[in-house]
Amino acid sequence: MQYNAVENTGMVALHGKGVAKGIAIGRALVMGAALLEVNHHLVSAEDIEYECHRLEHALQTVAEDLDYIKNNLPDDAPIELAPLLTVHSLLVADPLLASETKNIIRVRRYNAEWAISTQGQMLSDQFAQMEDEYLRERASDVNQVIERVLSVLSGVKSFDIQNLPTHNEDDLPYVVVAHDISPADMLKLREKHFAAFITDAGGPTSHTAIVARSMNVPAVVGMKNVRSMVNDHELLIVDGEAGLVLINPSPLVVEQYRSKQRQQEAEREFILRHKDEPAITLDGIAIDIEANIESPEEAKMAIEMGAAGIGLYRSEFLFMNRDSLPSEEEQYEAYSSVLKIMGDKPVTIRTLDIGSDKTLNNEATVAVNPALGLRAVRYCLANPDMFMTQLRAMLRASAHGYLRILVPMISHLHEVTEVKRYLLQARQELVAEGYSIGEKIELGAMVEIPAIAIAIEPFLKELDFVSIGTNDLIQYTLAVDRVDDEVVNLYDAVHPAVIRLIHNTIQAGDRAGKMVCVCGEMAGDVDYTRLLLGLGLKSFSMHPQHIPDVKQIVRHSHTNTLKTKVAATLNYGEAINLNMVNAAV
């Protein structure tokens, strides 16, 4: 987080990661964090079993509370909340959490609060070391579950949501300031008069960010120590697009932002009225705008936001936070439910994408460099029984719609050959067993390793389509971890090397007559929409909430003009000038 004191005004400007757009003006409501204030002390030998009993009671209480919340969600609750609450329920019910924490109590003689926070930190650290950003963000789920357990153990709620007044004395809404916010607490906050979220922790794929986008609530996360910078009831302005928080703004600044707020709300209403219209450019080029989802429930949101299909269905959620692998039947039910919802629209399911730093049965492993280790397709090919189960479930589900199978982290052509061999074997087995297989099945690969982007032509001969994962492509091309604060300034989506790799892939796809999609964050960021159109992209996939905005940009863009602008910029050998590209229509 960066902060600046504005001279002569008393206003302080804080900068974090804007993850849900919009402007909010309200009074700060600062949430406590039990995890940060846990009482540490050693217990006597005779009190060890009592502490274990306290732990068991707290875990059971939290489990029951989460189940009650999940089973009593209001009809208009954000559709992401149920699967997010399920993740928390699975975490708190994990027998390893109880057994390992009890072991700490018995061996180290820590009190229950100290023991659960110690075990929670170990689990959180394991997730935080994962290469995949979505899985890495799950460290926040561990912390949120531990927070709930600590609240029960201590008998003190970190934040008494139920007794919040419905409004401030000056009728301004609340801006919630917290270390992090659990999905269960977000549901309760939703019932109150609040306007935005600001958190110390989190990133673009954290649950706070996901739910905030679903609820259309401005949010700025990853601010590190914002709770220590803001006092209860201080006046705040939150700009979720710029990632900006203003503390104690002057009346003039408040009025400027109120005007901007009214303008944004009017624009948003207009965009949403046209969300179901096709995305066709001014020069008549049809653009496919599809959705990225993480659970079957999100497919409904994709339809509501006007998606032309599912461009990326991450299958990881079925595998995580459990002691056993999901069965073929469980996977079939999940995949087929999405295909049924989408009807004749394409559904792209990505095969399991997991890193080598933690296996699926919760047995930690040691990798010298997890980012370059046994990940994604490498992991699947090294575990053929697991891979075959997933492929069988996908092929069975294909009977209900238009299936695309997407394989992550392909770097060698023989990996494509191996995947095809397993697919053929799975198909033959299923046919012999009497199952129906869909007629429309396509096989594609993620372009996220520079090697495949550079030598794309032979891959396109063997594949039906490719999907560019810009998040990893940028990281691998520039050797920069974008969540590492010390080098994040080097993470550059418009670096010439990155743009050339994207351009090369799109051009090769056009020559081969194969679809090229971009499903990374660039696809859903309107700042890059015209750049990607200028590079020749005709297929985007993004979070459902971003679809109406990207469609609006597409409908007001002229691709030939953009191609000329982008081509001229590519010749400079420097970073793309986005302002110049976005000025062209």
Side-chain angles (χ1 to χ4, degrees):
M1 178 184 70
Q2 297 177 339
Y3 69 92
N4 305 98
V6 181
E7 188 176 2
N8 296 327
T9 66
M11 181 175 72
V12 175
L14 308 178
H15 299 269
K17 299 173 185 175
V19 294
K21 295 181 180 180
I23 291 172
I25 302 170
R27 296 286 177 184
L29 196 62
V30 182
M31 292 176 65
L35 186 61
L36 305 179
E37 300 149 7
V38 62
N39 178 29
H40 293 179
H41 67 264
L42 298 175
V43 299
S44 62
E46 55 267 25
D47 286 336
I48 287 176
E49 291 309 312
Y50 173 69
E51 292 297 307
C52 291
H53 174 73
R54 290 181 62 230
L55 173 70
E56 289 179 349
H57 176 263
L59 291 171
Q60 182 64 29
T61 300
V62 171
E64 291 173 356
D65 186 35
L66 289 171
D67 285 343
Y68 178 82
I69 295 171
K70 185 172 63 174
N71 294 331
N72 292 276
L73 288 173
D75 293 338
D76 61 345
I79 59 176
E80 292 91 350
L81 274 178
L84 300 188
L85 288 167
T86 297
V87 169
H88 283 208
S89 294
L90 290 170
L91 280 171
V92 77
D94 186 345
L96 284 175
L97 179 62
S99 62
E100 292 299 320
T101 305
K102 287 179 183 178
N103 188 56
I104 292 173
I105 294 172
R106 292 182 175 122
V107 174
R108 304 187 195 180
R109 293 193 177 183
Y110 286 2
N111 66 316
E113 290 89 342
W114 191 1
I116 191 68
S117 63
T118 300
Q119 179 62 19
Q121 188 61 54
M122 291 171 61
L123 293 172
S124 178
D125 288 345
Q126 286 180 349
F127 277 100
Q129 291 168 10
M130 291 185 177
E131 176 63 22
D132 183 271
E133 182 188 11
Y134 175 76
L135 299 180
R136 185 167 54 230
E137 290 283 6
R138 302 293 68 82
S140 65
D141 295 308
V142 174
N143 291 334
Q144 289 165 6
V145 167
I146 301 303
E147 281 271 356
R148 299 186 75 87
V149 177
L150 286 169
S151 293
V152 174
L153 286 169
S154 65
V156 178
K157 293 183 178 180
S158 59
F159 192 60
D160 191 3
I161 296 172
Q162 293 302 119
N163 293 322
L164 287 178
T166 56
H167 58 275
N168 290 284
E169 59 278 2
D170 52 7
D171 206 33
L172 284 173
Y174 289 119
V175 172
V176 178
V177 184
H179 176 71
D180 203 359
I181 308 173
S182 73
D185 285 344
M186 291 188 80
L187 177 64
K188 295 175 183 177
L189 285 167
R190 176 176 172 272
E191 301 168 358
K192 299 297 180 178
H193 190 47
F194 74 100
F197 298 127
I198 307 171
T199 62
D200 293 332
T205 57
S206 66
H207 284 167
T208 300
I210 292 169
V211 178
R213 284 192 292 266
S214 172
M215 296 165 68
N216 290 320
V217 175
V220 181
V221 302
M223 303 193 75
K224 295 186 178 179
N225 59 348
V226 67
R227 288 192 317 134
S228 64
M229 302 283 294
V230 177
N231 298 314
D232 263 335
H233 303 298
E234 280 189 308
L235 183 61
L236 301 179
I237 294 176
V238 180
D239 187 333
E241 182 172 6
L244 176 67
V245 176
L246 301 178
I247 305 175
N248 293 322
S250 67
L252 177 61
V253 171
V254 171
E255 186 49 44
Q256 289 173 341
Y257 272 90
R258 285 201 187 282
S259 176
K260 189 176 179 181
Q261 187 181 47
R262 289 191 292 268
Q263 181 181 351
Q264 285 188 355
E265 289 171 354
E267 290 173 353
R268 184 66 182 169
E269 288 177 7
F270 175 82
I271 289 170
L272 287 176
R273 284 201 301 271
H274 298 274
K275 62 183 173 61
D276 293 321
E277 295 177 9
I280 301 175
T281 64
L282 292 172
D283 48 342
I285 305 298
I287 306 297
D288 281 330
I289 309 294
E290 299 181 347
N292 296 344
I293 65 171
E294 294 161 5
S295 68
E297 291 84 358
E298 290 183 340
K300 297 175 184 176
M301 180 195 290
I303 292 290
E304 291 172 2
M305 289 294 108
I310 302 299
L312 175 62
Y313 174 15
R314 299 180 177 95
S315 62
E316 289 76 42
F317 87 99
L318 279 170
F319 291 77
M320 299 307 299
N321 302 310
R322 56 192 300 162
D323 295 323
S324 60
L325 296 173
S327 66
E328 178 182 320
E329 196 63 29
E330 182 181 350
Q331 293 187 61
Y332 162 74
E333 291 293 338
Y335 305 150
S336 61
S337 66
V338 175
L339 284 156
K340 290 173 184 176
I341 290 170
M342 299 307 296
D344 60 354
K345 295 182 169 112
V347 174
T348 308
I349 305 177
R350 186 173 67 185
T351 58
L352 182 63
D353 189 0
I354 190 169
S356 65
D357 46 356
K358 188 170 185 287
T359 58
L360 292 176
N361 59 3
N362 289 320
E363 293 178 357
T365 61
V366 178
V368 175
N369 191 334
L372 307 179
L374 194 66
R375 290 188 57 210
V377 68
R378 303 170 184 177
Y379 188 95
C380 289
L381 293 176
N383 295 272
D385 290 343
M386 178 204 71
F387 193 37
M388 278 291 290
T389 299
Q390 183 172 42
L391 293 179
R392 283 174 57 92
M394 288 182 179
L395 291 177
R396 286 176 57 193
S398 70
H400 302 286
Y402 176 3
L403 174 67
R404 296 176 183 151
I405 298 174
L406 180 62
V407 186
M409 207 179 175
I410 289 285
S411 59
H412 291 76
L413 204 56
H414 67 76
E415 292 168 328
V416 176
T417 303
E418 279 292 284
V419 171
K420 282 186 166 183
R421 183 174 68 82
Y422 281 116
L423 268 173
L424 178 60
Q425 180 183 339
R427 177 187 286 272
Q428 290 173 339
E429 289 179 2
L430 291 169
V431 170
E433 294 168 20
Y435 286 105
S436 298
I437 307 291
E439 296 181 0
K440 205 164 189 179
I441 303 173
E442 297 177 354
L443 178 65
M446 293 285 293
V447 176
E448 49 196 340
I449 296 176
I452 184 174
I454 293 169
I456 189 67
E457 287 79 6
F459 290 91
L460 287 170
K461 290 179 182 178
E462 298 296 324
L463 297 164
D464 300 304
F465 70 99
V466 293
S467 190
I468 302 173
T470 52
N471 303 352
D472 276 339
L473 183 62
I474 297 167
Q475 292 194 122
Y476 284 127
T477 302
L478 303 182
V480 171
D481 185 346
R482 62 188 178 138
V483 299
D484 185 336
D485 290 340
E486 295 182 350
V487 295
V488 71
N489 62 302
L490 300 176
Y491 183 89
D492 184 6
V494 293
H495 188 287
V498 174
I499 298 303
R500 287 178 186 274
L501 291 176
I502 295 173
H503 191 219
N504 180 55
T505 303
I506 294 171
Q507 285 189 315
D510 285 345
R511 291 192 298 268
K514 303 291 178 70
M515 184 193 79
V516 177
C517 179
V518 168
C519 62
E521 279 189 28
M522 286 181 72
D525 190 331
V526 292
D527 290 338
Y528 300 111
T529 302
R530 288 196 171 103
L531 168 61
L532 293 171
L533 290 172
L535 292 171
L537 186 69
K538 297 185 181 70
S539 180
F540 297 65
S541 189
M542 64 202 67
H543 187 280
Q545 286 290 350
H546 297 159
I547 289 174
D549 298 288
V550 172
K551 275 189 172 183
Q552 180 76 357
I553 297 293
V554 168
R555 288 194 289 259
H556 288 78
S557 298
H558 195 289
T559 52
N560 285 331
T561 302
L562 289 171
K563 285 180 179 179
T564 301
K565 289 280 189 179
V566 171
T569 307
L570 281 173
N571 293 331
Y572 294 158
E574 299 176 357
I576 290 284
N577 186 333
L578 281 178
N579 290 332
M580 185 179 76
V581 173
N582 289 329
V585 177

